[in-house]
Amino acid sequence: MSDAMHVVLDDTAMAAAGQGNVLASRLIHRAHAQAGWYLYAPTCALVEADRVRPGTAEHLAALPGITVLDLDLPAALAVARHDTWAAAHCQYAAQPTPDRPDGAIIATTAPDRWVGEPVRVLDLRP
């Protein structure tokens, strides 16, 4: 296991960050200030969060501690097999890769959405 912490924000976590959720804010601060902490915003989830709370995408994309993940061809193929693009892109982003051999944790304020899915979840509900 790696000492690095990789966290994917789902659309609910992104919207919560824009509404002042303390736990989401701590994640964002830690990813910016502490080595070994990485925070990801999948594009499809970013779009969905912006639909719910306009301005969220622009705000999060401007933060230095967040890496926006593009919808490249492998991600698009994975997303195409699911009903919701936001959740599918988050799930795809959380899977192990050469850069993230242990995968990533999905931060969310709706952990029930992830029940039965092959992902680890970080509950950001206050």
Side-chain angles (χ1 to χ4, degrees):
M1 295 217 13
S2 169
D3 289 336
M5 179 63 75
H6 297 275
V7 180
V8 174
L9 295 172
D10 78 357
D11 54 305
T12 68
M14 292 179 201
Q19 295 172 326
N21 179 292
V22 174
L23 298 174
S25 295
R26 286 181 185 165
L27 277 177
I28 292 167
H29 173 73
R30 189 164 272 183
H32 174 66
Q34 191 169 338
W37 279 75
Y38 303 94
L39 202 54
Y40 305 98
T43 303
C44 293
L46 196 59
V47 168
E48 190 59 34
D50 200 72
R51 286 181 178 159
V52 171
R53 189 169 193 285
T56 299
E58 186 175 5
H59 174 71
L60 288 175
L63 295 174
I66 297 179
T67 301
V68 176
L69 300 177
D70 293 331
L71 186 64
D72 58 10
L73 180 58
L77 294 174
V79 166
R81 292 189 288 269
H82 290 79
D83 293 333
T84 62
W85 287 29
H89 200 185
C90 289
Q91 184 176 337
Y92 173 79
Q95 299 308 305
T97 67
D99 293 338
R100 297 184 303 274
D102 299 323
I105 298 167
I106 296 180
T108 184
T109 61
D112 293 342
R113 153 195 293 187
W114 298 102
V115 171
E117 298 295 338
V119 296
R120 296 175 292 158
V121 173
L122 176 61
D123 187 350
L124 297 183
R125 291 180 296 184

